[in-house]
Amino acid sequence: MKTGAKIVTLTLIAAMTAGCTAADRLSQVGKEPPLTAIQDPRTTPGYRPVQMPMPTPEPEHYNANSLWRSGNRAFFQDQRAKRVGDIVTVVVTIEDEAEFDNSSQHSRSDTSNVGAGGALGTAIDTLALPASATSSALASVDSSANFNGSGSIDRKEELKTTVAAVVTQVLPNGNLVIEGRQEVRVNYEVRELIVAGVARPQDIQSNNTIDSKKIAEARIGYGGRGQISAVQQPRYGSQVLDIVLPF
């Protein structure tokens, strides 16, 4: 398929998608954005159980005249999350700051001359070239290139909040796979907070909370949908053109 046909096809697809989205938005005029229904995360499309290298399971057995059993991590039972369906509070703390400043410069020039002398040059002057030309300078090529580039990044992000997550899976070594979602609607705008990852039971504090920095394979998403989020996004046509145009 040629480039022009691809651009037309992508434009049509974007137009149809924009039409469907516009219809959905028109149906919600004057209404608050709907909240997502509570559902089992394991039934959502794309969900896959976590698989990681696990140590050899240690069989449990009780010692005679002892309350201790092998495999226990604590002597007394507590109310911290440890089974599928239990709830644990995740304290999300993100303090990210980065600053970069890069610059590059490139310059190149080249000059090449091609000519012929001696008997060959005399023959060329006599038989092939006009009277005003000479074989000592048959061709001259000049080229030059200059490039200057600079870029800078000054980013500072800070997010502090809490969200309750549900234990969706217990791995063979006792680690917990957790996933939590929170939606808050304020003035026609829905804010979403998503947390997922793998946590160690030892990192869960006595008040059943865990710091997000101690969650392995952490996936934290904070965004929203509604009138404000829609205005902040470029139009679909602009996004498609930014992708397909080579300039």
Side-chain angles (χ1 to χ4, degrees), residues 188-230:
Y188 300 93
E189 184 74 12
V190 174
R191 286 297 174 189
E192 300 175 325
L193 177 60
I194 301 173
V195 176
V198 181
R200 296 194 314 166
Q202 300 96 314
D203 293 330
I204 301 178
Q205 300 180 11
S206 59
N207 60 352
N208 200 35
T209 62
I210 184 173
D211 195 326
S212 61
K213 298 178 181 178
K214 297 181 180 180
I215 298 178
E217 297 295 327
R219 302 293 185 267
I220 301 174
Y222 182 75
R225 65 180 189 273
Q227 296 179 356
I228 298 177
S229 299

Side-chain angles (χ1 to χ4, degrees), residues 132-167:
S132 58
T134 176
S135 60
S136 60
L138 289 176
S140 178
V141 179
D142 296 330
S143 65
S144 63
N146 293 287
F147 172 78
N148 291 310
S150 61
S152 61
I153 297 176
D154 189 358
R155 183 184 65 200
K156 184 177 182 181
E157 300 173 349
E158 183 175 352
L159 175 62
K160 294 182 178 181
T161 186
T162 58
V163 59
V166 179
V167 178

Side-chain angles (χ1 to χ4, degrees), residues 113-129:
N113 294 313
V114 179
L120 178 60
T122 302
I124 293 175
D125 291 341
T126 304
L127 301 176
L129 299 179

Side-chain angles (χ1 to χ4, degrees), residues 1 19 24-25 31 71 95 98 113-115 127 133 135 158 187-188 207-208 231 236 245:
M1 185 181 294
D24 294 338
R25 292 178 60 188
K31 302 178 182 179
E95 295 179 355
N113 294 313
V114 179
L127 301 176
S135 60
E158 183 175 352
N187 296 333
Y188 300 93
N207 60 352
N208 200 35
V231 172
Y236 291 102
L245 291 181

